[in-house]
Amino acid sequence: MLVILGFAMIAVFMALIMTKKLTPVVALIVVPTIFGLFAGAGLGLGDMVMDSMKSLTSTAALLMFAIVYFGMMIDVGLFDPLVKLILRTLGNDPAKVVLGTAVLAAIVSLDGDGSTTFIITTAAMLPIYLRLGMSPVVLTCVAGLANGTMNILPWGGPTARAAAALKVSPSEVFVPMIPSLIAGMIVIFLFAWHLGLRERRRLAVSGSSWSESSKHDGGTPSGGTPANAAGGKTSAGKGSTGTGTAGTVLTVEKPRSAAQARFDEQVLAVANQDAQAVNTSLADSQLDPNRSTLRPKLFWFNLVLTATLMVVLVMDILPLPYVFMVGSAIALVVNFPRVKDQASALVSHAGSIVAVVSMVMAAAVLTGVLSGTGMVDAMAAWLVSVIPTSMGPYMAVITGLLSIPMTFFMSNDAFYFGVLPVLSETAAHYGIDPAAMARASITGQPVHMQSPLVPAILLLVSLSKVDLGDHHKKVLWRALVVSLVMLAVAVGIGVVPWG
């Protein structure tokens, strides 16, 4: 019964947030509570949830003050020169921007910390996405894929856990998996380029800021501008007009027929509606070049402060929540000396803070019910028991396949210290060594990183102002493909045995 309830709870939760029947916060609270009552937890649910919540308080503090700090740095203009540099390097081509997002996320992921990766990637790339009218969901998808794949680095967490659980060397686990890591990143870059091409076509049809800037730069975006798509021209001459995102005027000269004129007007209406939405987004966000919070004279101070924080993060000499608390306090005092301005700077990010911290706290309900009722243990034991004896020689591959869903709905600690040793013990009877089992077990990390139980992914969608369900729709099947490719390559080169 616990197995059925556990799988049903995860399925119902995912269905509700992906169909947007409930917000993630509400679903994280209501669904586990109902299923916990069915599991017979009764009034014990409170203690289960509070025990789980205690372990998440430091994570909530980290995310809260990280949002405050980096949001403030965006407000004061620290990342404006970086945005301009990236735009000069990548141009206004959405395909190159998305590919650049994947490369940046992969590089920053070398530090082994998902939260830091998503903070830096979002701070650098989100303003560009908004400026060009690109979908932030593409950013979260690509960043999530890159970080999840790079998460198998020895210092990233999963590899160290797998090695510790099976008493093998982390290098013995990771080094043979380097070809799989490379293959996974190649697939991600291909996904990123394809998503970028789709954004390029969408923006060309909608007449967004990228479409207009491409014309001003002398380039012709793939698919043409709205007027080109309609067979006309874009100019400042006579005809149907509309204002583009860069303040340009879109017009169509001399339509070939009445039908063509109607089509042109429809396209221009879409373009101008999109332009208005983007302009509103820019005005309401930190991208306004005339915003009152800009502090150009303090650029070097803010840069040194941020670099210092990054060094302290990498050195791991102080708890991360405390690092961002101190950094936020210093940044507030220096950039906003007046108490009223300090309060305004904090309130301006209240929406993002409430969104991400509430999800972290709500996730404690799900994890508390899963562990407190014994659902996780029952699900793991059931999965091991249903594997027939004849499949014993394929235990490494089976472990790789199981790691994909199991690390999504349970923590890495629960999987690597609770499930993996049992699977490895079974595999030992068929001559499969623990190192091979550990390698197979880390191939599910691209999917694991998208789990609502991972605080870093909650931070990513919150900073990007993306709905978690929308993120899952775009990222989950791609993450599954990456995991399967990594496992297939590992089997192909013989580091994960097949039979």
Side-chain angles (χ1 to χ4, degrees), residues 347-401:
V347 170
S348 66
H349 301 289
S352 297
I353 294 170
V354 170
V356 69
V357 173
S358 62
M359 272 201 287
V360 171
M361 293 292 98
V365 181
L366 180 59
T367 56
V369 171
L370 277 172
S371 59
T373 59
M375 288 183 187
V376 166
D377 295 335
M379 293 160 71
W382 175 81
L383 284 171
V384 173
S385 66
V386 298
I387 300 174
T389 305
S390 60
M391 298 297 291
Y394 305 98
M395 281 299 297
V397 175
I398 292 173
T399 298
L401 294 175

Side-chain angles (χ1 to χ4, degrees), residues 74 126-128 130-131 281-282 285-291:
I74 294 175
L126 183 60
I128 299 172
L130 295 179
R131 193 178 299 278
S281 176
L282 294 178
S285 72
Q286 303 96 328
L287 298 178
D288 184 1
N290 300 315
R291 57 191 184 272

Side-chain angles (χ1 to χ4, degrees), residues 303-324:
L303 180 62
V304 171
L305 177 61
T306 302
T308 303
L309 289 185
M310 292 300 100
V311 171
V312 175
L313 287 177
V314 174
M315 294 177 64
D316 197 21
I317 56 178
L318 288 172
L320 296 187
Y322 181 61
V323 170
F324 277 108

